[in-house]
Amino acid sequence: EADIYQTPRYLVIGTGKKITLECSQTMGHDKMYWYQQDPGMELHLIHYSYGVNSTEKGDLSSESTVSRIRTEHFPLTLESARPSHTSQYLCASSEGQARSYEQYFGPGTRLTVT
Amino acid sequence: KNQVEQSPQSLIILEGKNCTLQCNYTVSPFSNLRWYKQDTGRGPVSLTIMTFSENTKSNGRYTATLDADTKQSSLHITASQLSDSASYICVVSDRGSTLGRLYFGRGTQLTVWP
């Protein structure tokens, strides 16, 4: 099992609330990623980071933001949650470029916005 | 357009039986192809990674094949067990971008009945 952790695992929150999804890894990986996955659908990359102080937007437009102040920590923040943000959010990390190195996934956070 | 298509969408088999899952892709230029297993409510876990020059790779009861000419891959599961019930996701990476973009299929939902 990979050493990558996400909290909370499940979150139900009302519209307009600010939320932060936590992701941490103990493998010392430089590359970290956030994916969004709806039931029965493919994973979509929403953010990635090459290392400390590096953040980039992914392929799927997202209202969330991320930060990378420490190598092991890559939190995702939604300033004002809306029902359209209801989804599963998966964090991943890799030692090097995504195409050449194994990506290790966390267990995910299932977010429900009411 | 780079895409990954999987079939069937879902599959039910009896414990002890074999099954084969299919993946067709149009990703170019090709870097590698991966099969992941995703249990319900968990993050994906890697089963195999194959490069252009590899046409078969095994991991226990899982055997993946790759035909880079026809851009097809299959995942064969032998002597299925109840714990094999999961979504199996085909992922293809390209060589064309700095990040090494990963293209995810929607997965095949496998259910193994006793």
Side-chain angles (χ1 to χ4, degrees):
Chain A
E1 187 112 349
D3 295 323
I4 181 164
Y5 310 97
Q6 291 185 244
T7 58
R9 292 293 315 281
Y10 304 92
L11 179 62
V12 181
I13 201 161
T15 298
K17 299 292 185 181
K18 178 181 178 179
I19 60 169
T20 296
L21 307 184
E22 301 288 349
C23 174
S24 60
Q25 50 96 5
T26 59
M27 296 172 283
H29 289 168
D30 283 330
K31 311 295 189 291
M32 294 190 74
Y33 316 83
W34 276 102
Y35 292 90
Q36 186 174 339
Q37 183 183 29
D38 292 321
M41 302 296 287
E42 64 268 47
L43 277 72
H44 291 284
L45 181 68
I46 52 175
H47 298 283
Y48 61 94
S49 167
Y50 287 120
V52 172
N53 294 326
S54 155
T55 60
E56 302 285 345
K57 290 193 177 294
D59 307 305
L60 181 68
S61 176
S62 173
E63 293 169 348
S64 59
T65 59
V66 292
S67 62
R68 190 88 183 276
I69 299 173
R70 303 198 315 265
T71 297
E72 63 272 20
H73 197 213
F74 192 39
L76 180 147
T77 298
L78 274 166
E79 290 293 333
S80 180
R82 294 192 281 124
S84 60
H85 297 138
T86 295
S87 189
Q88 168 145 300
Y89 293 85
L90 290 162
C91 180
S93 72
S94 63
E95 183 179 349
Q97 282 185 331
R99 67 163 153 259
S100 303
Y101 290 84
E102 183 64 70
Q103 274 204 357
Y104 296 93
F105 287 85
T109 293
R110 178 154 305 276
L111 173 66
T112 302
V113 184
T114 61
Chain B
K1 182 180 177 183
N2 289 322
Q3 286 185 309
V4 177
E5 302 285 344
Q6 292 188 243
S7 62
Q9 185 176 353
S10 61
L11 181 64
I12 299 174
I13 62 173
L14 294 177
E15 187 178 14
K17 298 296 185 182
N18 304 335
C19 67
T20 301
L21 315 180
Q22 301 291 342
C23 173
N24 296 333
Y25 63 91
T26 59
V27 177
S28 181
F30 174 86
S31 179
N32 57 61
L33 184 145
R34 312 164 189 208
W35 282 95
Y36 282 89
K37 177 186 180 187
Q38 185 176 21
D39 292 315
T40 301
R42 307 291 297 182
V45 175
S46 177
L47 295 175
T48 64
I49 299 178
M50 287 184 293
T51 60
F52 184 89
S53 59
E54 297 173 294
N55 53 25
T56 187
K57 184 168 276 190
S58 293
N59 178 0
R61 294 180 297 103
Y62 301 101
T63 299
T65 65
L66 172 65
D67 185 333
D69 291 330
T70 62
K71 297 187 177 181
Q72 295 179 325
S73 176
S74 65
L75 180 69
H76 186 75
I77 304 175
T78 304
S80 60
Q81 300 176 358
L82 298 179
S83 59
D84 292 331
S85 294
S87 178
Y88 291 84
I89 303 172
C90 178
V91 184
V92 181
S93 68
D94 73 7
R95 288 187 285 112
S97 61
T98 303
L99 177 66
R101 175 89 158 68
L102 298 184
Y103 295 87
F104 290 79
R106 293 185 176 184
T108 291
Q109 185 64 48
L110 175 66
T111 303
V112 181
W113 282 4

